[in-house]
Amino acid sequence: MSETISTSQADDDERGIKPSHKSRLIYGIDDSPPIHLTLLFGLQQLIVCLGGIYTVPLAVADKICAEFNAELKVQMFSSMLVVVGLSSIVMTSIGIRLPIIQGASPSFLPPVIAFMQLEEWRCPDNFTQALTLEEQTEVSIVRLREISGALLAASAVQVVIGMTGVMGYCMKFIGPLTIAPSVALIGINLYHVINNMCSKQWGIAFFTIIMTLISGLYINDRIKLPIPAWNRSGKYKPFKLPVFTVFSVSI
């Protein structure tokens, strides 16, 4: 019996799986999944991050009178991808050196929304009917420049706060009861963007939500599918993986 258990544990170690009787954790922080699963995990993480990266330009476009300007939206999204890529390279190489994707921060949306509520920056009446597409783009770019300058100044203040260590001192007085409502309020500000995207086809939206919940919560680890794997000796020995748990977002 001991030999059988040790052999099974050795096979799990070769696949990067360390079983736990008290936890449903599949991979620990020090485990190394097989390369083909690692690529799929990375692709799933990228898909999740792209959703957040795509949402922020849409929310900003609605506030700078570019709600129906598809060309400007594409330019904003393309610029966002370039900046996210460069920021991720910097953060993973000379920054904190964690395997992260430095995405767009929705915490800047509340000041943008408040800024665009001023009388001088509100969209003119009959905006899309009275102006050509080029004129609409120019009006939106002027607002985008104002927002960029304001956020650049705000970011400089954040850099100073981070370099002086003031935030470390402030964290003594900031607990979960302060952070959780702030994060919730940021998410609420994105509701209208999500609502506009889902309103095009509510059936698909609700089907996606239901399938994600069923895969991640109900099916969970009840169904395990065989995954191809080879041990160090080159012998083919597949193992079963709860696919509906680890790939619930992709499915």
PDB file of all heavy atoms in Angstrom, residues 170-200:
ATOM      1  N   CYS A 170      -0.496  55.532   5.738  1.00  0.00           N
ATOM      2  CA  CYS A 170      -1.957  55.650   5.661  1.00  0.00           C
ATOM      3  C   CYS A 170      -2.639  54.287   5.723  1.00  0.00           C
ATOM      4  O   CYS A 170      -3.799  54.191   6.162  1.00  0.00           O
ATOM      5  CB  CYS A 170      -2.363  56.370   4.384  1.00  0.00           C
ATOM      6  SG  CYS A 170      -1.846  58.107   4.301  1.00  0.00           S
ATOM      7  N   MET A 171      -1.950  53.230   5.285  1.00  0.00           N
ATOM      8  CA  MET A 171      -2.557  51.910   5.294  1.00  0.00           C
ATOM      9  C   MET A 171      -2.839  51.413   6.704  1.00  0.00           C
ATOM     10  O   MET A 171      -3.617  50.473   6.894  1.00  0.00           O
ATOM     11  CB  MET A 171      -1.641  50.900   4.573  1.00  0.00           C
ATOM     12  CG  MET A 171      -1.579  51.080   3.073  1.00  0.00           C
ATOM     13  SD  MET A 171      -3.203  50.963   2.272  1.00  0.00           S
ATOM     14  CE  MET A 171      -3.617  49.258   2.613  1.00  0.00           C
ATOM     15  N   LYS A 172      -2.216  52.044   7.711  1.00  0.00           N
ATOM     16  CA  LYS A 172      -2.520  51.681   9.090  1.00  0.00           C
ATOM     17  C   LYS A 172      -3.959  52.045   9.456  1.00  0.00           C
ATOM     18  O   LYS A 172      -4.531  51.468  10.390  1.00  0.00           O
ATOM     19  CB  LYS A 172      -1.546  52.389  10.037  1.00  0.00           C
ATOM     20  CG  LYS A 172      -0.086  52.002   9.830  1.00  0.00           C
ATOM     21  CD  LYS A 172       0.810  52.768  10.792  1.00  0.00           C
ATOM     22  CE  LYS A 172       2.275  52.398  10.569  1.00  0.00           C
ATOM     23  NZ  LYS A 172       3.186  53.166  11.483  1.00  0.00           N
ATOM     24  N   PHE A 173      -4.524  53.020   8.746  1.00  0.00           N
ATOM     25  CA  PHE A 173      -5.868  53.492   9.052  1.00  0.00           C
ATOM     26  C   PHE A 173      -6.886  53.088   7.983  1.00  0.00           C
ATOM     27  O   PHE A 173      -8.059  53.430   8.089  1.00  0.00           O
ATOM     28  CB  PHE A 173      -5.866  55.029   9.177  1.00  0.00           C
ATOM     29  CG  PHE A 173      -4.811  55.549  10.098  1.00  0.00           C
ATOM     30  CD1 PHE A 173      -3.601  56.029   9.594  1.00  0.00           C
ATOM     31  CD2 PHE A 173      -5.005  55.555  11.469  1.00  0.00           C
ATOM     32  CE1 PHE A 173      -2.629  56.515  10.433  1.00  0.00           C
ATOM     33  CE2 PHE A 173      -4.030  56.037  12.321  1.00  0.00           C
ATOM     34  CZ  PHE A 173      -2.835  56.521  11.805  1.00  0.00           C
ATOM     35  N   ILE A 174      -6.436  52.380   6.948  1.00  0.00           N
ATOM     36  CA  ILE A 174      -7.315  51.950   5.859  1.00  0.00           C
ATOM     37  C   ILE A 174      -7.461  50.437   5.924  1.00  0.00           C
ATOM     38  O   ILE A 174      -6.489  49.708   5.735  1.00  0.00           O
ATOM     39  CB  ILE A 174      -6.762  52.377   4.483  1.00  0.00           C
ATOM     40  CG1 ILE A 174      -6.589  53.895   4.425  1.00  0.00           C
ATOM     41  CG2 ILE A 174      -7.681  51.903   3.373  1.00  0.00           C
ATOM     42  CD1 ILE A 174      -5.968  54.393   3.137  1.00  0.00           C
ATOM     43  N   GLY A 175      -8.653  49.979   6.217  1.00  0.00           N
ATOM     44  CA  GLY A 175      -8.900  48.553   6.333  1.00  0.00           C
ATOM     45  C   GLY A 175      -9.836  48.051   5.253  1.00  0.00           C
ATOM     46  O   GLY A 175     -10.219  48.790   4.329  1.00  0.00           O
ATOM     47  N   PRO A 176     -10.244  46.790   5.345  1.00  0.00           N
ATOM     48  CA  PRO A 176     -11.161  46.220   4.333  1.00  0.00           C
ATOM     49  C   PRO A 176     -12.490  46.955   4.253  1.00  0.00           C
ATOM     50  O   PRO A 176     -13.091  47.035   3.187  1.00  0.00           O
ATOM     51  CB  PRO A 176     -11.349  44.774   4.825  1.00  0.00           C
ATOM     52  CG  PRO A 176     -10.149  44.498   5.682  1.00  0.00           C
ATOM     53  CD  PRO A 176      -9.789  45.801   6.320  1.00  0.00           C
ATOM     54  N   LEU A 177     -12.971  47.496   5.382  1.00  0.00           N
ATOM     55  CA  LEU A 177     -14.245  48.206   5.370  1.00  0.00           C
ATOM     56  C   LEU A 177     -14.163  49.502   4.574  1.00  0.00           C
ATOM     57  O   LEU A 177     -15.184  50.056   4.158  1.00  0.00           O
ATOM     58  CB  LEU A 177     -14.693  48.514   6.804  1.00  0.00           C
ATOM     59  CG  LEU A 177     -15.049  47.288   7.660  1.00  0.00           C
ATOM     60  CD1 LEU A 177     -15.452  47.724   9.062  1.00  0.00           C
ATOM     61  CD2 LEU A 177     -16.167  46.483   7.017  1.00  0.00           C
ATOM     62  N   THR A 178     -12.960  49.995   4.360  1.00  0.00           N
ATOM     63  CA  THR A 178     -12.779  51.198   3.548  1.00  0.00           C
ATOM     64  C   THR A 178     -12.547  50.859   2.084  1.00  0.00           C
ATOM     65  O   THR A 178     -13.069  51.533   1.186  1.00  0.00           O
ATOM     66  CB  THR A 178     -11.595  52.022   4.070  1.00  0.00           C
ATOM     67  OG1 THR A 178     -11.788  52.291   5.458  1.00  0.00           O
ATOM     68  CG2 THR A 178     -11.460  53.328   3.322  1.00  0.00           C
ATOM     69  N   ILE A 179     -11.781  49.803   1.836  1.00  0.00           N
ATOM     70  CA  ILE A 179     -11.417  49.445   0.469  1.00  0.00           C
ATOM     71  C   ILE A 179     -12.593  48.823  -0.274  1.00  0.00           C
ATOM     72  O   ILE A 179     -12.846  49.128  -1.446  1.00  0.00           O
ATOM     73  CB  ILE A 179     -10.208  48.495   0.472  1.00  0.00           C
ATOM     74  CG1 ILE A 179      -8.992  49.189   1.104  1.00  0.00           C
ATOM     75  CG2 ILE A 179      -9.876  48.025  -0.931  1.00  0.00           C
ATOM     76  CD1 ILE A 179      -7.789  48.301   1.248  1.00  0.00           C
ATOM     77  N   ALA A 180     -13.336  47.927   0.390  1.00  0.00           N
ATOM     78  CA  ALA A 180     -14.426  47.210  -0.286  1.00  0.00           C
ATOM     79  C   ALA A 180     -15.490  48.151  -0.861  1.00  0.00           C
ATOM     80  O   ALA A 180     -15.872  48.006  -2.033  1.00  0.00           O
ATOM     81  CB  ALA A 180     -15.053  46.200   0.670  1.00  0.00           C
ATOM     82  N   PRO A 181     -16.007  49.135  -0.102  1.00  0.00           N
ATOM     83  CA  PRO A 181     -16.990  50.052  -0.719  1.00  0.00           C
ATOM     84  C   PRO A 181     -16.401  50.867  -1.867  1.00  0.00           C
ATOM     85  O   PRO A 181     -17.107  51.159  -2.839  1.00  0.00           O
ATOM     86  CB  PRO A 181     -17.401  50.961   0.449  1.00  0.00           C
ATOM     87  CG  PRO A 181     -17.078  50.183   1.682  1.00  0.00           C
ATOM     88  CD  PRO A 181     -15.861  49.400   1.338  1.00  0.00           C
ATOM     89  N   SER A 182     -15.120  51.222  -1.774  1.00  0.00           N
ATOM     90  CA  SER A 182     -14.503  51.993  -2.853  1.00  0.00           C
ATOM     91  C   SER A 182     -14.447  51.185  -4.133  1.00  0.00           C
ATOM     92  O   SER A 182     -14.768  51.688  -5.225  1.00  0.00           O
ATOM     93  CB  SER A 182     -13.090  52.428  -2.437  1.00  0.00           C
ATOM     94  OG  SER A 182     -13.116  53.203  -1.255  1.00  0.00           O
ATOM     95  N   VAL A 183     -14.055  49.914  -4.031  1.00  0.00           N
ATOM     96  CA  VAL A 183     -14.012  49.047  -5.208  1.00  0.00           C
ATOM     97  C   VAL A 183     -15.423  48.828  -5.759  1.00  0.00           C
ATOM     98  O   VAL A 183     -15.640  48.801  -6.983  1.00  0.00           O
ATOM     99  CB  VAL A 183     -13.350  47.699  -4.862  1.00  0.00           C
ATOM    100  CG1 VAL A 183     -13.399  46.751  -6.042  1.00  0.00           C
ATOM    101  CG2 VAL A 183     -11.911  47.920  -4.413  1.00  0.00           C
ATOM    102  N   ALA A 184     -16.412  48.682  -4.875  1.00  0.00           N
ATOM    103  CA  ALA A 184     -17.790  48.490  -5.322  1.00  0.00           C
ATOM    104  C   ALA A 184     -18.305  49.713  -6.072  1.00  0.00           C
ATOM    105  O   ALA A 184     -18.992  49.590  -7.089  1.00  0.00           O
ATOM    106  CB  ALA A 184     -18.685  48.181  -4.118  1.00  0.00           C
ATOM    107  N   LEU A 185     -17.975  50.900  -5.583  1.00  0.00           N
ATOM    108  CA  LEU A 185     -18.422  52.119  -6.252  1.00  0.00           C
ATOM    109  C   LEU A 185     -17.794  52.260  -7.636  1.00  0.00           C
ATOM    110  O   LEU A 185     -18.436  52.745  -8.573  1.00  0.00           O
ATOM    111  CB  LEU A 185     -18.084  53.340  -5.394  1.00  0.00           C
ATOM    112  CG  LEU A 185     -18.908  53.492  -4.107  1.00  0.00           C
ATOM    113  CD1 LEU A 185     -18.380  54.656  -3.284  1.00  0.00           C
ATOM    114  CD2 LEU A 185     -20.383  53.697  -4.435  1.00  0.00           C
ATOM    115  N   ILE A 186     -16.527  51.843  -7.757  1.00  0.00           N
ATOM    116  CA  ILE A 186     -15.884  51.884  -9.069  1.00  0.00           C
ATOM    117  C   ILE A 186     -16.598  50.955 -10.044  1.00  0.00           C
ATOM    118  O   ILE A 186     -16.829  51.290 -11.213  1.00  0.00           O
ATOM    119  CB  ILE A 186     -14.394  51.509  -8.937  1.00  0.00           C
ATOM    120  CG1 ILE A 186     -13.647  52.575  -8.131  1.00  0.00           C
ATOM    121  CG2 ILE A 186     -13.754  51.340 -10.318  1.00  0.00           C
ATOM    122  CD1 ILE A 186     -12.218  52.196  -7.811  1.00  0.00           C
ATOM    123  N   GLY A 187     -16.976  49.763  -9.569  1.00  0.00           N
ATOM    124  CA  GLY A 187     -17.696  48.836 -10.432  1.00  0.00           C
ATOM    125  C   GLY A 187     -19.069  49.338 -10.824  1.00  0.00           C
ATOM    126  O   GLY A 187     -19.527  49.136 -11.950  1.00  0.00           O
ATOM    127  N   ILE A 188     -19.735  50.037  -9.907  1.00  0.00           N
ATOM    128  CA  ILE A 188     -21.064  50.580 -10.212  1.00  0.00           C
ATOM    129  C   ILE A 188     -20.970  51.623 -11.323  1.00  0.00           C
ATOM    130  O   ILE A 188     -21.873  51.748 -12.163  1.00  0.00           O
ATOM    131  CB  ILE A 188     -21.695  51.168  -8.935  1.00  0.00           C
ATOM    132  CG1 ILE A 188     -22.019  50.040  -7.947  1.00  0.00           C
ATOM    133  CG2 ILE A 188     -22.949  51.960  -9.262  1.00  0.00           C
ATOM    134  CD1 ILE A 188     -22.519  50.521  -6.620  1.00  0.00           C
ATOM    135  N   ASN A 189     -19.878  52.378 -11.347  1.00  0.00           N
ATOM    136  CA  ASN A 189     -19.723  53.392 -12.393  1.00  0.00           C
ATOM    137  C   ASN A 189     -19.597  52.778 -13.782  1.00  0.00           C
ATOM    138  O   ASN A 189     -19.824  53.463 -14.786  1.00  0.00           O
ATOM    139  CB  ASN A 189     -18.483  54.248 -12.104  1.00  0.00           C
ATOM    140  CG  ASN A 189     -18.691  55.171 -10.920  1.00  0.00           C
ATOM    141  OD1 ASN A 189     -19.776  55.711 -10.728  1.00  0.00           O
ATOM    142  ND2 ASN A 189     -17.670  55.344 -10.104  1.00  0.00           N
ATOM    143  N   LEU A 190     -19.222  51.495 -13.861  1.00  0.00           N
ATOM    144  CA  LEU A 190     -19.101  50.818 -15.145  1.00  0.00           C
ATOM    145  C   LEU A 190     -20.388  50.104 -15.558  1.00  0.00           C
ATOM    146  O   LEU A 190     -20.424  49.452 -16.601  1.00  0.00           O
ATOM    147  CB  LEU A 190     -17.961  49.785 -15.093  1.00  0.00           C
ATOM    148  CG  LEU A 190     -16.549  50.342 -14.913  1.00  0.00           C
ATOM    149  CD1 LEU A 190     -15.562  49.199 -14.735  1.00  0.00           C
ATOM    150  CD2 LEU A 190     -16.153  51.197 -16.094  1.00  0.00           C
ATOM    151  N   TYR A 191     -21.427  50.251 -14.750  1.00  0.00           N
ATOM    152  CA  TYR A 191     -22.654  49.499 -15.023  1.00  0.00           C
ATOM    153  C   TYR A 191     -23.257  49.879 -16.373  1.00  0.00           C
ATOM    154  O   TYR A 191     -23.725  49.007 -17.117  1.00  0.00           O
ATOM    155  CB  TYR A 191     -23.665  49.737 -13.904  1.00  0.00           C
ATOM    156  CG  TYR A 191     -25.035  49.185 -14.222  1.00  0.00           C
ATOM    157  CD1 TYR A 191     -25.274  47.818 -14.124  1.00  0.00           C
ATOM    158  CD2 TYR A 191     -26.076  50.017 -14.637  1.00  0.00           C
ATOM    159  CE1 TYR A 191     -26.525  47.290 -14.426  1.00  0.00           C
ATOM    160  CE2 TYR A 191     -27.324  49.497 -14.937  1.00  0.00           C
ATOM    161  CZ  TYR A 191     -27.540  48.140 -14.831  1.00  0.00           C
ATOM    162  OH  TYR A 191     -28.764  47.622 -15.147  1.00  0.00           O
ATOM    163  N   HIS A 192     -23.262  51.169 -16.688  1.00  0.00           N
ATOM    164  CA  HIS A 192     -23.921  51.585 -17.934  1.00  0.00           C
ATOM    165  C   HIS A 192     -23.200  51.044 -19.162  1.00  0.00           C
ATOM    166  O   HIS A 192     -23.825  50.766 -20.178  1.00  0.00           O
ATOM    167  CB  HIS A 192     -23.983  53.117 -18.005  1.00  0.00           C
ATOM    168  CG  HIS A 192     -22.662  53.779 -18.190  1.00  0.00           C
ATOM    169  ND1 HIS A 192     -21.759  53.941 -17.142  1.00  0.00           N
ATOM    170  CD2 HIS A 192     -22.054  54.298 -19.287  1.00  0.00           C
ATOM    171  CE1 HIS A 192     -20.679  54.545 -17.600  1.00  0.00           C
ATOM    172  NE2 HIS A 192     -20.830  54.769 -18.887  1.00  0.00           N
ATOM    173  N   VAL A 193     -21.875  50.867 -19.066  1.00  0.00           N
ATOM    174  CA  VAL A 193     -21.134  50.289 -20.190  1.00  0.00           C
ATOM    175  C   VAL A 193     -21.522  48.825 -20.380  1.00  0.00           C
ATOM    176  O   VAL A 193     -21.795  48.366 -21.499  1.00  0.00           O
ATOM    177  CB  VAL A 193     -19.617  50.426 -19.959  1.00  0.00           C
ATOM    178  CG1 VAL A 193     -18.846  49.801 -21.120  1.00  0.00           C
ATOM    179  CG2 VAL A 193     -19.232  51.885 -19.777  1.00  0.00           C
ATOM    180  N   ILE A 194     -21.557  48.090 -19.283  1.00  0.00           N
ATOM    181  CA  ILE A 194     -21.936  46.677 -19.354  1.00  0.00           C
ATOM    182  C   ILE A 194     -23.371  46.536 -19.823  1.00  0.00           C
ATOM    183  O   ILE A 194     -23.711  45.650 -20.617  1.00  0.00           O
ATOM    184  CB  ILE A 194     -21.740  46.019 -17.978  1.00  0.00           C
ATOM    185  CG1 ILE A 194     -20.277  46.131 -17.542  1.00  0.00           C
ATOM    186  CG2 ILE A 194     -22.168  44.567 -17.999  1.00  0.00           C
ATOM    187  CD1 ILE A 194     -20.010  45.653 -16.144  1.00  0.00           C
ATOM    188  N   ASN A 195     -24.237  47.426 -19.344  1.00  0.00           N
ATOM    189  CA  ASN A 195     -25.641  47.379 -19.744  1.00  0.00           C
ATOM    190  C   ASN A 195     -25.803  47.617 -21.247  1.00  0.00           C
ATOM    191  O   ASN A 195     -26.589  46.928 -21.923  1.00  0.00           O
ATOM    192  CB  ASN A 195     -26.436  48.410 -18.954  1.00  0.00           C
ATOM    193  CG  ASN A 195     -27.916  48.378 -19.305  1.00  0.00           C
ATOM    194  OD1 ASN A 195     -28.605  47.413 -19.023  1.00  0.00           O
ATOM    195  ND2 ASN A 195     -28.397  49.439 -19.937  1.00  0.00           N
ATOM    196  N   ASN A 196     -25.042  48.561 -21.793  1.00  0.00           N
ATOM    197  CA  ASN A 196     -25.123  48.841 -23.224  1.00  0.00           C
ATOM    198  C   ASN A 196     -24.630  47.662 -24.059  1.00  0.00           C
ATOM    199  O   ASN A 196     -25.195  47.346 -25.114  1.00  0.00           O
ATOM    200  CB  ASN A 196     -24.309  50.089 -23.563  1.00  0.00           C
ATOM    201  CG  ASN A 196     -24.925  51.350 -23.002  1.00  0.00           C
ATOM    202  OD1 ASN A 196     -26.130  51.401 -22.743  1.00  0.00           O
ATOM    203  ND2 ASN A 196     -24.104  52.362 -22.781  1.00  0.00           N
ATOM    204  N   MET A 197     -23.580  46.998 -23.588  1.00  0.00           N
ATOM    205  CA  MET A 197     -23.047  45.866 -24.331  1.00  0.00           C
ATOM    206  C   MET A 197     -23.993  44.663 -24.265  1.00  0.00           C
ATOM    207  O   MET A 197     -24.176  43.942 -25.250  1.00  0.00           O
ATOM    208  CB  MET A 197     -21.664  45.490 -23.778  1.00  0.00           C
ATOM    209  CG  MET A 197     -20.614  46.583 -23.942  1.00  0.00           C
ATOM    210  SD  MET A 197     -19.027  46.166 -23.176  1.00  0.00           S
ATOM    211  CE  MET A 197     -18.527  44.791 -24.188  1.00  0.00           C
ATOM    212  N   CYS A 198     -24.607  44.438 -23.100  1.00  0.00           N
ATOM    213  CA  CYS A 198     -25.507  43.293 -22.950  1.00  0.00           C
ATOM    214  C   CYS A 198     -26.857  43.524 -23.604  1.00  0.00           C
ATOM    215  O   CYS A 198     -27.540  42.565 -23.990  1.00  0.00           O
ATOM    216  CB  CYS A 198     -25.701  42.974 -21.468  1.00  0.00           C
ATOM    217  SG  CYS A 198     -24.222  42.404 -20.607  1.00  0.00           S
ATOM    218  N   SER A 199     -27.270  44.797 -23.712  1.00  0.00           N
ATOM    219  CA  SER A 199     -28.596  45.092 -24.252  1.00  0.00           C
ATOM    220  C   SER A 199     -28.727  44.716 -25.722  1.00  0.00           C
ATOM    221  O   SER A 199     -29.843  44.583 -26.232  1.00  0.00           O
ATOM    222  CB  SER A 199     -28.898  46.590 -24.072  1.00  0.00           C
ATOM    223  OG  SER A 199     -27.959  47.380 -24.783  1.00  0.00           O
ATOM    224  N   LYS A 200     -27.600  44.538 -26.412  1.00  0.00           N
ATOM    225  CA  LYS A 200     -27.667  44.128 -27.808  1.00  0.00           C
ATOM    226  C   LYS A 200     -28.199  42.707 -27.962  1.00  0.00           C
ATOM    227  O   LYS A 200     -28.788  42.371 -28.978  1.00  0.00           O
ATOM    228  CB  LYS A 200     -26.285  44.262 -28.448  1.00  0.00           C
ATOM    229  CG  LYS A 200     -25.745  45.692 -28.449  1.00  0.00           C
ATOM    230  CD  LYS A 200     -24.361  45.763 -29.046  1.00  0.00           C
ATOM    231  CE  LYS A 200     -23.842  47.189 -29.034  1.00  0.00           C
ATOM    232  NZ  LYS A 200     -22.470  47.307 -29.579  1.00  0.00           N
TER     233      LYS A 200
END
